[in-house]
Amino acid sequence: MSTVGEKAWWTLPENFHSPLVFYMEEDLEKHIFGQGDKYLRSIEVHSHTFIQLEPWFTATGQTRVIVVGPPRARKWLQSMIRSLGSRDSCFRDQGLEMLQRVRSQPLTNLELHHHLESDTLCLSLSVR
């Protein structure tokens, strides 16, 4: 995500303003980050973010998730997680593709710019 001459994302204070904070069900957390958070580090490295997972003792077993990093990367992860938790199969499939991508290799600037286009595509397909 950074090129020669650019500062690393974690050295820019603006990447730590307004962290993304939300709660997710324990089952979804395990699906995304793996048992024992097996994929957490690779997702962080590949999305250029820091992710903190805090289990909360609620009736449904929710986890509080805090994400800091570049705004586009935070939005991309939010879109992936929202898609994976959707009841719509198009969104779930899209989320699964995004998850497999971020687990296996770094996200590109192009992917970070265009993730909203795929959200719109699913919406238009589900309306038909």
Side-chain angles (χ1 to χ4, degrees), residues 18 24 26 52 60 79 90:
S18 303
M24 75 168 53
E26 185 178 15
Q52 182 175 354
T60 59
S79 179
C90 182

Side-chain angles (χ1 to χ4, degrees), residues 21-78:
V21 180
F22 60 93
Y23 296 85
M24 75 168 53
E25 300 298 321
E26 185 178 15
D27 292 343
L28 184 57
E29 176 208 347
K30 286 183 181 171
H31 177 66
I32 294 170
F33 298 107
Q35 188 68 32
D37 299 332
K38 176 180 178 179
Y39 302 108
L40 176 62
R41 182 70 183 133
S42 63
I43 291 172
E44 286 178 320
V45 169
H46 294 155
S47 66
H48 312 283
T49 60
F50 289 133
I51 303 169
Q52 182 175 354
L53 304 172
E54 300 175 347
W56 282 65
F57 298 102
T58 63
T60 59
Q62 292 184 328
T63 299
R64 182 171 132 173
V65 181
I66 302 169
V67 182
V68 295
R72 286 183 290 144
R74 292 191 314 247
K75 287 178 185 175
W76 192 94
L77 286 174
Q78 183 179 30

Side-chain angles (χ1 to χ4, degrees), residues 48-110:
H48 312 283
T49 60
F50 289 133
I51 303 169
Q52 182 175 354
L53 304 172
E54 300 175 347
W56 282 65
F57 298 102
T58 63
T60 59
Q62 292 184 328
T63 299
R64 182 171 132 173
V65 181
I66 302 169
V67 182
V68 295
R72 286 183 290 144
R74 292 191 314 247
K75 287 178 185 175
W76 192 94
L77 286 174
Q78 183 179 30
S79 179
M80 178 196 73
I81 292 166
R82 186 177 47 242
S83 295
L84 285 167
S86 175
R87 292 185 179 172
D88 183 280
S89 63
C90 182
F91 282 115
R92 279 194 316 273
D93 291 346
Q94 173 187 315
L96 188 55
E97 287 179 26
M98 293 170 80
L99 177 62
Q100 291 169 344
R101 175 71 169 99
V102 76
R103 280 182 180 174
S104 63
Q105 55 191 322
L107 300 176
T108 65
N109 279 326
L110 184 62

